[in-house]
Amino acid sequence: MTNLIPPRAKKKLVLEYWTRAVSTWLSLWSVALVAGIFILLPAYVLIGSQVEVHKASAAKASEKVQNYSNTSRDLVRASQQAKLVIDETAKPAMSEFISLFESLQGEEISLTALSLGFGSEGKQLVTLAGIADNRQALATFRDQISAEEMVDSVNLPLSNLARDKDITFEIVISLNITDEV
């Protein structure tokens, strides 16, 4: 039967067939894409809103972590400063040393300088400088200092005892003070 159709009409028929086939497939693909868009659109919107919510939550958590780090650092610094204050208040004041050594000096000893420092082992050292009227007064002063409870050792160089009268001296006293609170 196909032989009865003239070649020109046959070409037109094939062209019309392929036009209909292509337009039908394009229409079907268009409908499928539109249906897919309508099906996936709510999920896309939901996922987008969830991402925004989680971004905001992550930003808040990051801010809290930063605040925690700052607070932690400030707390450590405050703790160190409080420990320093407590340690310093536990140590005897310089005025206590001055009044102690002035009470021990008597009339024959004249103190000219008092300095505080730390020795190689970390012990607190007091250096007293002054003038003694005689050797006996200087030796008595050294013995009185040695008898004190907070004194660990007293170092009076022999060169200080070379003269008989008006002796300039320098005594290094190692204190037995604990830094524990």
Side-chain angles (χ1 to χ4, degrees):
M1 202 59 117
T2 56
N3 291 343
L4 298 174
I5 301 176
R8 199 167 171 192
K10 191 175 182 181
K11 278 185 182 180
K12 224 178 186 184
L13 192 61
V14 168
L15 181 65
E16 186 177 331
Y17 170 77
W18 281 112
T19 304
R20 285 182 181 184
V22 169
S23 66
T24 303
W25 278 109
L26 286 177
S27 296
L28 284 174
W29 276 105
S30 298
V31 168
L33 286 176
V34 169
I37 288 173
F38 281 121
I39 290 172
L40 294 177
L41 187 63
Y44 178 76
V45 171
L46 179 66
I47 290 172
S49 65
Q50 289 295 324
V51 166
E52 291 300 319
V53 167
H54 289 299
K55 275 185 185 177
S57 176
K60 285 181 184 178
S62 175
E63 184 179 323
K64 285 182 181 179
V65 166
Q66 184 64 31
N67 287 341
Y68 172 76
S69 296
N70 292 342
T71 303
S72 176
R73 186 176 50 246
D74 292 344
L75 190 58
V76 166
R77 188 178 312 126
S79 176
Q80 289 171 344
Q81 289 173 348
K83 184 182 181 318
L84 179 67
V85 167
I86 289 170
D87 289 347
E88 289 300 316
T89 56
K91 294 178 183 176
M94 180 95 159
S95 60
E96 291 179 35
F97 295 124
I98 292 172
S99 62
L100 171 70
F101 297 128
E102 282 180 349
S103 69
L104 295 177
Q105 77 181 3
E107 293 179 14
E108 297 174 329
I109 303 288
S110 174
L111 295 177
T112 57
L114 182 137
S115 64
L116 293 174
F118 290 96
S120 60
E121 302 93 30
K123 288 217 173 213
Q124 193 165 9
L125 299 177
V126 177
T127 305
L128 292 175
I131 300 172
D133 288 347
N134 55 46
R135 277 189 224 155
Q136 183 59 38
L138 186 56
T140 304
F141 182 56
R142 180 197 61 206
D143 293 340
Q144 287 176 337
I145 293 172
S146 300
E148 284 300 316
E149 210 175 282
M150 67 171 70
V151 174
D152 195 22
S153 66
V154 177
N155 183 12
L156 177 64
L158 290 176
S159 61
N160 289 335
L161 298 173
R163 296 179 55 192
D164 240 0
K165 293 185 178 193
D166 295 329
I167 304 167
T168 58
F169 65 89
E170 188 171 294
I171 299 175
V172 179
I173 303 163
S174 175
L175 299 175
N176 186 13
I177 299 173
T178 58
D179 289 342
E180 297 175 8
V181 178

